[in-house]
Amino acid sequence: MSDLDQFRQETRAWLEANCPEAMRQPVTGFEDIYNGGRVPEIDHPDQKVWCDRMAEKGWTVPHWPKEYGGGGLSADEVKVLRQEMSRIGARQALDSFGISMLGPALLQFGTQEQKLEHLPPICRGEIRWCQGYSEPNAGSDLASLATRAEDKGDHYLINGQKVWTSYADKADWIFCLVRTDNTGTKHEGISFVLFDMDQPGVEARPIKLISGSSPFCETFFDNARADKANLIGEEGKGWTIAKYLLTHEREMISGMGGAPKKSLGETAVELIGADEQGRLSNGILRQNLAQYQLDTVAFGATMARVGDEVKSGQGLGPASSIFKYYGTELNKRRNELNLAVGGEEALGWEGDAYQGGQVVRDWLRSKGNSIEGGTTEVQLNIVSKRVLGLPDA
Amino acid sequence: MALVLNEEQSMLKDAAAGFLAEKATVAHLRELRDSGDATGFSQDVWKEMADMGWAGIAIDEEFGGLGYGYTGLGLVLEQVGRNLSASPLQSSVLIGATIIAELGDQAQKEQFLPAIASGQSIVTLAIQEGAHHAPSQIATTAVAGGNGYVLNGSKRLVLDAHVADTFVVIARTSGEPGDTDGLSAFLVDAKADGVAIEQRSMVDNLNCGALTLNNVSVDASALLGSEGGAASGLNRTLDIANIGLASELLGVSTEAFERTVAYLKERKQFGQVIGSFQGLQHRAAELFAELELARSIVLKALQAIDSGDESLPVLASAAKAKLCEVAQRATNEGVQMHGGIGMTDEHEIGFFIKRARAAQHTFGDYNYHLDRFASLNGF
């Protein structure tokens, strides 16, 4: 038996013995996803049990090195673990910005001490992180951010405001872009610091969106304190880390939405009717749906192709630069078509008759996809300049 | 199957790019056009292509081909599209050989495929009758008589009609125009009595013609496949043909786009290169994204042919519809962004918009294939 087969057998046995029954049920909402933290939001007690057992094995973040709380698994072993988990319908034990965003940046740019301090609590789901990037006057032009960090010897004193800080009201720590120097170009003088949210001088207020309540917050710093030991990378070189993380974030947003269970066209036939050949009776809607579905198939093939190119050692090609732009625009198109297909039912805002207004709220929320994490227009600028080599005006 | 090229395929692609960029370019096409060349392509270049094995690229080794599959042929066709290379690769290799391989018996394959693979024989499909691709509307008839059948009807958009030595004619052995059943395929010698060939000239200056069949007698052995049973092999052939044309359109679009981006970096107005204007930059970036999608769906569809994927029909219509859309946009933007020079015959960008439209139309345009794509998806 190969080592990998042996690993599969052991993994299967361990999962069977340790994954609670409740954690084998399909995820139906955000409350089913466990994010950890000092005071975790717990929908079912087994969420924490399952997270703790997986963390013990290092399997909440199986691909990170063991010394930082990960599982130290090879790519093939991670694949086996995922396959075995999905075989029994096991949920992901822990999902957090610490895993998806801060962790990769620390592994790349952090010192050994910083990694040892911050990564293991992420793996164990003990500390929940949020990201402090955008500001009221630094959106697409993120590098013009103005939150000040004043040098106080062993620490920085931080004053300013962040916005669109997801889950700032629930996070324990923040990774934050601050300005440590005003003298150079706007990209210089930005630093990447970590600090505890549980201190006087940090306040997070949730933002209500056109779609209703949201995880976003406005976050205010009034003489908040960040130890210098938690400066990541060099002072004034935070922009490099920010760009690295934005790439991660864009990949996450482009994958949002996902494919619906039944094709929209088939749903439309049920609701609107078809001719004798089975063609949707409204020819204009049919064309719009077909164009959307065609682009969805072609975009899916592009994601697969880029993934296969990376696996074959060709590296991340220029096609990846379109993911954020195209994926979010496609998601907006799908949501517009959802309204067109659903008619009055899709416009309902609340109440049982309208399933709480999910369709219309998703539609409104999708408008933000092409704004957050780099607007469509900024993405097109990036393709123009970096991929096509077109010059600045 | 991974959506990447293997080493053999990459080498083939590079070889095709190098050869065609030297021997069969847009400038060569212009020469053929301006000299009123009777063949419409260079026989010498075609012989060289055949000697390299390209005429038998997707034909099984058993019948004298290379057995590289349609992914290999698609890569060559993409380079054909980039250079607008004139040759019988589409008519005889992509389509003629395919319908014989799909419908023919052992004897028919032995008779025709090695001859196509060596480049000596040109076999082309005669299917379209009206202004639009509509296989179920075929009215050409084949009635039992003599030693086999007697064919009557007329065909158009027959690729390389005037240089083909054999036609595969799709005719009705039963039913009425509008019926999808009752279609049969016949091998018809170009020199047979009652066959009249009219060379026509379309906007792309490549070869196509019309065919009139006036009481053409063929032997029973000319029937490809069973009587009335052409549909499944014909549909698969048309799917393959459309994916091949989508590969060619990928080359046409990519080349038109790259030439246009190069022009944006060179042309100056208002004291700066026009490529620095955001109004043009975003249009170029959007087109870049569409071309990446186009490349992916073409490769996926090519691989589906070779792997025997059941979703071939939906992927074929997806690839053709997407490439019709992208080629139209890329060539329209190509002319627009070149400005006045793009409207002149002297500049080469015009050759790309011309070939794009003809290839888009051949065997079903955007409207045809998007409609089919929707139907195959259950709406």
Side-chain angles (χ1 to χ4, degrees):
Chain A
M1 190 186 293
S2 77
D3 289 352
L4 208 56
D5 289 337
Q6 174 86 22
F7 176 76
R8 183 185 296 278
Q9 221 168 55
E10 289 166 12
T11 302
R12 185 173 294 189
W14 187 89
L15 289 171
E16 282 292 359
N18 287 282
C19 182
E21 194 50 41
M23 294 299 105
R24 303 185 193 193
Q25 305 307 316
V27 170
T28 56
F30 284 115
E31 68 280 2
D32 292 334
I33 298 166
Y34 184 67
N35 303 110
R38 285 178 186 139
V39 189
E41 297 174 284
I42 290 178
D43 186 61
H44 189 289
D46 282 348
Q47 286 180 317
K48 183 154 171 31
V49 173
W50 177 222
C51 178
D52 289 346
R53 286 180 186 168
M54 284 288 275
E56 184 79 16
K57 301 276 288 180
W59 286 358
T60 51
V61 198
H63 57 288
W64 285 2
K66 273 189 172 172
E67 61 173 323
Y68 307 133
L73 301 189
S74 68
D76 283 341
E77 288 169 333
V78 171
K79 201 168 157 191
V80 167
L81 173 60
R82 297 244 157 85
Q83 285 167 349
E84 289 305 315
M85 285 175 70
S86 87
R87 197 183 67 86
I88 61 167
R91 290 182 189 169
Q92 193 180 340
L94 177 67
D95 188 19
S96 73
F97 291 149
I99 295 174
S100 60
M101 303 188 69
L102 177 64
L106 274 182
L107 286 169
Q108 184 87 4
F109 300 100
T111 63
Q112 176 70 353
E113 290 72 23
Q114 288 168 338
K115 291 179 198 171
L116 287 172
E117 181 185 350
H118 294 295
L119 294 176
I122 289 173
C123 295
R124 293 192 297 264
E126 292 168 358
I127 295 294
R128 186 170 179 181
W129 288 84
C130 65
Q131 169 183 266
Y133 270 30
S134 295
E135 297 180 5
N137 292 314
S140 288
D141 183 13
L142 180 62
S144 69
L145 60 93
T147 293
R148 275 178 299 117
E150 204 182 330
D151 192 332
K152 292 286 179 189
D154 65 340
H155 68 277
Y156 295 107
L157 211 55
I158 295 168
N159 283 284
Q161 184 193 343
K162 293 288 172 184
V163 72
W164 308 119
T165 342
S166 300
Y167 303 106
D169 55 335
K170 291 168 178 155
D172 306 307
W173 276 64
I174 186 168
F175 51 97
C176 195
L177 291 178
V178 295
R179 183 160 296 288
T180 42
D181 186 1
N182 256 326
T183 54
T185 69
K186 64 183 181 181
H187 292 92
E188 296 165 4
I190 292 174
S191 298
F192 190 98
V193 295
L194 319 177
F195 54 92
D196 200 322
M197 295 282 279
D198 183 17
Q199 59 170 307
V202 176
E203 189 193 354
R205 295 181 201 152
I207 299 172
K208 190 175 176 186
L209 294 185
I210 52 176
S211 49
S213 63
S214 84
F216 294 122
C217 294
E218 293 178 289
T219 308
F220 299 89
F221 308 121
D222 179 16
N223 284 332
R225 186 191 153 108
D227 285 340
K228 274 206 181 157
N230 285 317
L231 169 73
I232 308 300
E234 284 177 53
E235 187 179 280
K237 302 280 187 215
W239 186 246
T240 313
I241 308 175
K243 275 196 303 185
Y244 175 82
L245 266 183
L246 276 173
T247 314
H248 266 264
E249 184 182 12
R250 283 168 185 164
E251 281 163 13
M252 273 164 49
I253 295 170
S254 65
M256 273 162 64
K261 292 161 203 98
K262 195 174 358 175
S263 94
L264 256 176
E266 289 167 305
T267 308
V269 165
E270 283 170 20
L271 288 172
I272 296 167
D275 69 10
E276 284 164 11
Q277 274 94 45
R279 295 186 171 117
L280 181 63
S281 49
N282 185 317
I284 309 291
L285 177 59
R286 180 170 181 263
Q287 178 180 343
N288 285 328
L289 288 165
Q291 285 168 334
Y292 161 74
Q293 188 158 344
L294 175 59
D295 286 339
T296 302
V297 170
F299 184 62
T302 305
M303 305 259 277
R305 173 166 67 89
V306 170
D308 288 342
E309 284 169 358
V310 170
K311 272 185 224 154
S312 75
Q314 294 178 31
L316 197 60
S320 63
S321 64
I322 70 162
F323 286 173
K324 162 57 166 91
Y325 147 66
Y326 212 96
T328 55
E329 292 299 329
L330 209 48
N331 196 37
K332 289 200 297 182
R333 276 167 70 187
R334 180 166 68 86
N335 276 283
E336 288 294 349
L337 288 166
N338 270 339
L339 286 200
V341 168
E344 182 267 352
E345 283 180 28
L347 290 168
W349 180 253
E350 54 196 4
D352 290 343
Y354 298 125
Q355 280 99 48
Q358 200 58 47
V359 176
V360 79
R361 286 167 192 265
D362 285 349
W363 164 72
L364 285 164
R365 180 62 187 84
S366 73
K367 299 301 173 198
N369 294 164
S370 51
I371 300 169
E372 61 210 340
T375 63
T376 283
E377 290 72 20
V378 164
Q379 296 308 114
L380 291 174
N381 283 345
I382 291 173
V383 172
S384 305
K385 294 186 168 82
R386 299 207 197 131
V387 180
L388 302 179
L390 293 172
D392 284 323
Chain B
M1 194 183 297
L3 283 167
V4 287
L5 302 183
N6 62 34
E7 200 173 330
E8 185 182 80
Q9 290 165 342
S10 293
M11 282 169 60
L12 177 65
K13 181 176 182 167
D14 293 345
F19 178 82
L20 294 173
E22 185 192 337
K23 298 284 178 79
T25 62
V26 187
H28 290 111
L29 177 61
R30 183 193 292 277
E31 271 172 38
L32 291 165
R33 181 195 73 175
D34 292 349
S35 66
D37 188 278
T39 310
F41 58 87
S42 159
Q43 293 280 12
D44 291 342
V45 172
W46 175 233
K47 185 171 184 314
E48 280 190 71
M49 288 163 78
D51 288 346
M52 289 187 288
W54 294 2
I57 218 163
I59 295 174
D60 284 348
E61 288 168 278
E62 179 191 355
F63 302 110
L66 291 182
Y68 273 17
Y70 286 94
T71 306
L73 177 56
L75 294 172
V76 174
L77 287 169
E78 184 187 337
Q79 299 307 317
V80 164
R82 270 187 175 267
N83 294 284
L84 302 183
S85 310
S87 84
L89 263 182
Q90 293 93 327
S91 62
S92 191
V93 179
L94 174 66
I95 304 161
T98 299
I99 193 150
I100 290 170
E102 289 298 325
L103 287 173
D105 59 26
Q106 185 70 13
Q108 288 165 330
K109 290 184 199 174
E110 282 172 6
Q111 186 188 345
F112 287 95
L113 293 181
I116 294 173
S118 68
Q120 287 159 359
S121 177
I122 294 176
V123 177
T124 189
L125 177 66
I127 179 169
Q128 187 162 327
E129 297 181 357
H132 295 276
H133 176 67
S136 65
Q137 297 299 324
I138 283 169
T140 296
T141 54
V143 178
N147 295 325
Y149 299 86
V150 177
L151 276 61
N152 277 287
S154 61
K155 298 286 182 182
R156 57 170 108 173
L157 198 79
V158 181
L159 306 179
D160 293 318
H162 69 300
V163 287
D165 39 59
T166 304
F167 297 101
V168 174
V169 175
I170 308 300
R172 191 167 281 290
T173 40
S174 68
E176 300 289 324
D179 294 347
T180 45
D181 294 334
L183 296 178
S184 305
F186 297 92
L187 291 155
V188 177
D189 193 295
K191 294 197 262 325
D193 287 341
V195 173
I197 300 160
E198 176 199 349
Q199 188 170 1
R200 290 185 175 178
S201 178
M202 291 208 308
V203 65
D204 61 350
N205 299 111
L206 295 184
N207 295 312
C208 74
L211 197 61
T212 308
L213 303 151
N214 186 11
N215 287 323
V216 176
S217 290
V218 296
D219 284 350
S221 65
L223 178 67
L224 265 180
S226 63
E227 185 180 300
S232 112
L234 175 62
N235 288 339
R236 184 169 159 84
T237 300
L238 289 171
D239 284 338
I240 291 171
N242 276 301
I243 294 167
L245 287 165
S247 303
E248 185 191 344
L249 283 167
L250 176 64
V252 171
S253 312
T254 308
E255 182 69 21
F257 176 70
E258 288 178 5
R259 288 178 180 221
T260 303
V261 170
Y263 186 73
L264 292 181
K265 293 178 188 174
E266 148 200 328
R267 168 74 172 170
K268 280 190 175 167
Q269 288 286 275
F270 306 105
Q272 50 193 324
V273 293
I274 60 173
S276 67
F277 299 133
Q278 204 176 38
L280 294 177
Q281 286 182 345
H282 283 193
R283 274 158 60 187
E286 285 174 6
L287 196 44
F288 170 79
E290 293 295 342
L291 280 163
E292 288 297 324
L293 264 68
R295 178 167 300 283
S296 312
I297 194 69
V298 166
L299 182 56
K300 191 177 166 84
L302 284 169
Q303 290 185 346
I305 306 173
D306 291 329
S307 66
D309 192 325
E310 282 177 7
S311 57
L312 184 68
V314 72
L315 283 171
S317 279
K320 184 69 185 302
K322 187 69 198 169
L323 268 294
C324 284
E325 175 205 324
V326 172
Q328 185 153 325
R329 186 162 166 185
T331 53
N332 284 347
E333 289 285 59
V335 171
Q336 176 67 21
M337 292 190 189
H338 276 84
I341 193 89
M343 286 299 295
T344 65
D345 181 64
E346 186 189 355
H347 198 279
E348 289 188 347
I349 196 73
F351 283 79
F352 289 88
I353 197 170
K354 291 175 177 179
R355 176 55 191 155
R357 290 309 177 281
Q360 284 169 238
H361 169 80
T362 305
F363 304 126
D365 64 4
Y366 175 75
N367 302 307
Y368 178 90
H369 283 286
L370 192 68
D371 175 69
R372 182 170 180 256
F373 175 80
S375 291
L376 291 169
N377 274 296
F379 63 98

